[in-house]
Amino acid sequence: MDYAVIAEDIVKTYNSVRALDDVSLRVPVGCVYGLLGPNGAGKSTLISIIVGVSKPDKGKVMVLGGSPLSPGIRARIGFQPQEHGLHPNLTGWENLFFYAGIYGVSPRDARDRIRELAEKLGITGYLDKPVRTYSGGLRQRLSIVAALIHDPELIVLDEPTTGLDPGIRKSVWGLIMDLRRSGKTVILATHYMEEADKLSDEVAIMDKGRIIVSGSPEELKSRYGPPAVIEVVLREQSMAEKLESYLAGNLGLQVNKTGAETLRIHCRDPDQLVPEITSTAYELGLSISVLRVLKPDLEDVFLKLTGRRLEG
Amino acid sequence: MNWRAVKAFIVRDVKTMFRDKAALFWVVAWPIIWILMTAYVFVPPGAGHVITLSVGVVNNDHSVAPFNGTYLVDLMNNTMINGKHLFNVEMINDSVRLKELLLKGRLDAGIIIPDGFGVNATYGTGRLIVLIRADNPSTKQIYEGIITGFLQGVSRRLSSVKINVSLAYISKYMPTANATMSLDRIKQYLIGIAFPINASVEEVVPESVGSRPAIIGWYTLGAIGMMFLYTGLLIGSAMIVREKELGTLKRLLASPSSGPELLIGKTLGGIIVLVVSALIALFVGIGVAGARIYWSPLNPVDWLVPVFMLAAAIMSIGMGLVLSLASRTSKGASSLSTALGLLFTFTAGIWFPKEWLPGWMRIFAENFPFTWAIDGIRDIVVYQYGLPDILPLFVKSVVAAIAIFVAGATIYRIQIRRYAEK
């Protein structure tokens, strides 16, 4: 198998804090590789090393068959950092032409490419306006276009949908799927488990500077997730707290509070547990708004492995 | 080297610089303000005319003699140069009041004429007390020079009169004198006693600074130097920190153009901004303020002027890159550049002529490389230096520009590495 990225035993320390601790990963060519983890897990540090911004203290990184520090390799990588990296006093066109120049793309090629990408992300009508007038979502999409302007082989997206509303998020997802279909490799750092779950062929879950597990989302869910998950939404927060303490204390269940009134209960046999939860709630005088049985997702995998929630 | 990337940096930086209101103020408006202030405040249209001194006179002289205090005051009132009175005389009753007016700054100088001055001056030596307002060392010298010059002139005239009177007496009462020495010879001898040295003073002013337009031209170059200095410092010191704040630095560091292209592109962008600003300043200086600058495309030495300007721009950007070590934010970089830029402008002979500076400051000005470049420009367009005269300064400026920029580029690399590893 060909790999777009091979990282072995990467260690990176900042001011005596280990941001990356013996991280190894292999990203196959042509796949969407999700880096999933909470803020501070080390995703951005790992990305900085992959795109050649910083060097590891220890370990080896090969990107597209070479060192990411070489300009020739960098020219084949498209990078969208968390900061948009756009000049507020320039228009969308001007910002994109700037990045086209940086990557050595001719103005004619850049114009065609910008039109195509802007169309896909729905920002064509805004390109003549100064970026300072853009909303956060518009800037984010323009930033993604800037990362793709030179038609790179490897695309590294750091939290590309943070702050986007659901409709726009879907258009970004569509673009990522298109990239995969056209044979590009995408590394997608995100803390949205749904995004990683839906888009990734492979996922590495990171926590505290380490990759704790990696594999396809299905594989991870079946191996590390619970057989089933029951989600209970109660009328009030105090009721949720009461039910949580009862289920965890008396029945020994793994109960996670995922919202003020929402509990997520990992279980083996939901058919047996659902009547028990409803009768307990009745006895305690708690009013349930919603009760449903769900398949486990990557959030549950993360919960299972770390005891903490992924999304804050 | 990816020249398309270099061009991208130049285009972006020039566009953004001229779209930023604060930058526009410092790069364009501020030098224009200085040039116009120079033209209409520091070198006003009347500059170069005779200075009229306000002089208070306390005349205590009651002598009945051909020359006395009243005669001196009349002379003062009637002395004119180029149709303008040299003194505006105010008669004061007593010396205490005279000193009081001098201390309050209402008079430039004062003369106390003691009683018996006329008799003493006619038959011997008349004593005068001259008071000069000395709150400003420069004007003090000017006032003192005018008063003493006037009094020397009066003494000269008085001496001539006294010599002629003496000769009349000699020919009348000492006829034997004619036998051994002619009256002309005696006159020459007496004149020699009165004025042993007869110095003639001739003003030698370079044609190019001999007039108001030329002086404004000198200061227009100073304004360009000032602008080059703090704008260059700002461009250099904010080069990395500004990209960092915009969030573009990480993206650029991940691009194939993170090395020399970034430095060269941004430096060339800065130089273009400076050149455009210099052209605007020259346009305002020449077109609006009436500055005269001696530059001819037909004179090969004059073509060293753009090279000196380039050296000045590179030096200031290089110094700015060194300053970037102390700049954590673009606001900080801006404040630091403006403060140091203005400080150096006024202490390194860029705005004020070096001759006006105190001794220790003059040593700094003589050894400040940026001043070499500005001096080089002035030496060519003001003092019309030839190639042999300008060559040493030219070599010094170019070598200094390269050395400073190399130092700045080294700092830049360190800063980039530091940011990447943060």
Side-chain angles (χ1 to χ4, degrees), chain B residues 211-235:
Chain B
S211 61
R212 182 174 171 270
I215 295 169
I216 296 170
W218 197 95
Y219 280 105
T220 299
L221 294 171
I224 290 172
M226 176 196 285
M227 181 185 66
F228 265 49
L229 190 54
Y230 60 67
T231 307
L233 288 177
L234 175 62
I235 289 168

Side-chain angles (χ1 to χ4, degrees), chain B residues 2-245:
Chain B
N2 175 4
W3 287 104
R4 201 166 258 162
V6 171
K7 188 182 154 200
F9 280 115
I10 294 172
V11 170
R12 187 197 63 164
D13 283 7
V14 171
K15 274 184 181 173
T16 52
M17 181 68 101
F18 286 103
R19 284 180 194 175
D20 182 337
K21 282 177 191 159
L24 265 185
F25 174 79
W26 287 108
V27 174
V28 180
W30 183 241
I32 291 173
I33 291 168
W34 269 100
I35 290 168
L36 294 179
M37 265 177 49
T38 304
Y40 297 103
V41 179
F42 302 136
V43 192
H49 291 180
V50 173
I51 296 173
T52 299
L53 246 61
S54 292
V55 182
V57 177
V58 179
N59 186 5
N60 295 323
D61 184 27
H62 301 101
S63 303
V64 180
F67 181 78
N68 57 19
T70 310
Y71 190 87
L72 180 68
V73 172
D74 284 347
L75 271 179
M76 290 177 75
N77 276 324
N78 294 323
T79 303
M80 300 179 88
I81 296 177
N82 297 336
K84 199 173 173 193
H85 284 283
L86 188 59
F87 301 109
N88 177 20
V89 179
E90 189 180 334
M91 298 308 296
I92 314 287
N93 289 334
D94 59 89
S95 54
V96 175
R97 175 72 183 148
L98 176 67
K99 280 185 184 169
E100 199 179 294
L101 292 173
L102 281 164
L103 287 171
K104 284 179 177 169
R106 285 181 52 193
L107 293 171
D108 301 321
I111 295 176
I112 300 170
I113 307 174
D115 193 15
F117 166 76
V119 173
N120 291 335
T122 306
Y123 302 108
T125 302
R127 186 172 163 269
L128 283 177
I129 298 164
V130 177
L131 305 171
I132 301 288
R133 203 178 97 209
D135 51 349
N136 179 326
S138 304
T139 53
K140 178 229 156 196
Q141 283 184 10
I142 294 169
Y143 300 159
E144 195 173 341
I146 292 172
I147 295 266
T148 52
F150 167 76
L151 291 175
Q152 275 169 9
V154 172
S155 293
R156 204 180 172 87
R157 276 178 62 179
L158 196 55
S159 297
S160 294
V161 171
K162 284 164 84 172
I163 286 168
N164 286 334
V165 169
S166 301
L167 283 172
Y169 277 105
I170 287 169
S171 63
K172 192 173 177 183
Y173 298 109
M174 297 173 69
T176 51
N178 288 326
T180 54
M181 197 185 267
S182 71
L183 278 176
D184 278 349
R185 191 75 190 273
I186 293 170
K187 187 178 180 181
Q188 288 302 315
Y189 187 73
L190 291 174
I191 289 172
I193 291 172
F195 324 116
I197 295 171
N198 184 9
S200 64
V201 176
E202 191 182 329
E203 288 186 356
V204 181
V205 186
E207 193 191 347
S208 45
V209 287
S211 61
R212 182 174 171 270
I215 295 169
I216 296 170
W218 197 95
Y219 280 105
T220 299
L221 294 171
I224 290 172
M226 176 196 285
M227 181 185 66
F228 265 49
L229 190 54
Y230 60 67
T231 307
L233 288 177
L234 175 62
I235 289 168
S237 61
M239 195 177 277
I240 298 167
V241 79
R242 181 79 181 125
E243 296 290 348
K244 194 173 134 189
E245 284 171 355

Side-chain angles (χ1 to χ4, degrees), chain B residues 195-311:
Chain B
F195 324 116
I197 295 171
N198 184 9
S200 64
V201 176
E202 191 182 329
E203 288 186 356
V204 181
V205 186
E207 193 191 347
S208 45
V209 287
S211 61
R212 182 174 171 270
I215 295 169
I216 296 170
W218 197 95
Y219 280 105
T220 299
L221 294 171
I224 290 172
M226 176 196 285
M227 181 185 66
F228 265 49
L229 190 54
Y230 60 67
T231 307
L233 288 177
L234 175 62
I235 289 168
S237 61
M239 195 177 277
I240 298 167
V241 79
R242 181 79 181 125
E243 296 290 348
K244 194 173 134 189
E245 284 171 355
L246 286 170
T248 42
L249 189 56
K250 196 168 185 182
R251 196 162 213 157
L252 292 173
L253 292 180
S255 77
S257 310
S258 64
E261 289 91 348
L262 179 62
L263 178 65
I264 291 171
K266 290 188 76 69
T267 303
L268 288 177
I271 289 171
I272 288 173
V273 168
L274 290 176
V275 168
V276 171
S277 309
L279 291 175
I280 293 170
L282 282 172
F283 174 77
V284 172
I286 296 167
V288 180
R292 192 192 304 146
I293 287 170
Y294 285 79
W295 190 87
S296 163
L298 301 176
N299 183 3
V301 179
D302 286 1
W303 283 103
L304 292 182
V305 171
V307 185
F308 271 118
M309 280 198 176
L310 187 66

Side-chain angles (χ1 to χ4, degrees), chain A residues 12 14 48 53-55 71 74 79 83-85 87-90 94 98-99 101-106 143 146-147, chain B residues 2 4-5 8-9 12 15-16 19-20 242 246-248 250-258 417 420-422:
Chain A
K12 185 77 189 172
Y14 295 120
S48 285
V53 170
S54 61
K55 290 185 210 166
R74 285 177 179 186
F79 174 45
E83 310 94 349
H84 301 128
H87 202 293
N89 286 346
L90 295 178
E94 287 169 336
F98 167 67
Y99 282 113
I102 293 300
Y103 282 92
V105 181
S106 74
S143 173
Chain B
N2 175 4
R4 201 166 258 162
F9 280 115
R12 187 197 63 164
K15 274 184 181 173
T16 52
R19 284 180 194 175
D20 182 337
R242 181 79 181 125
L246 286 170
T248 42
K250 196 168 185 182
R251 196 162 213 157
L252 292 173
L253 292 180
S255 77
S257 310
S258 64
R417 210 58 263 153
E421 295 305 331
K422 250 186 183 172

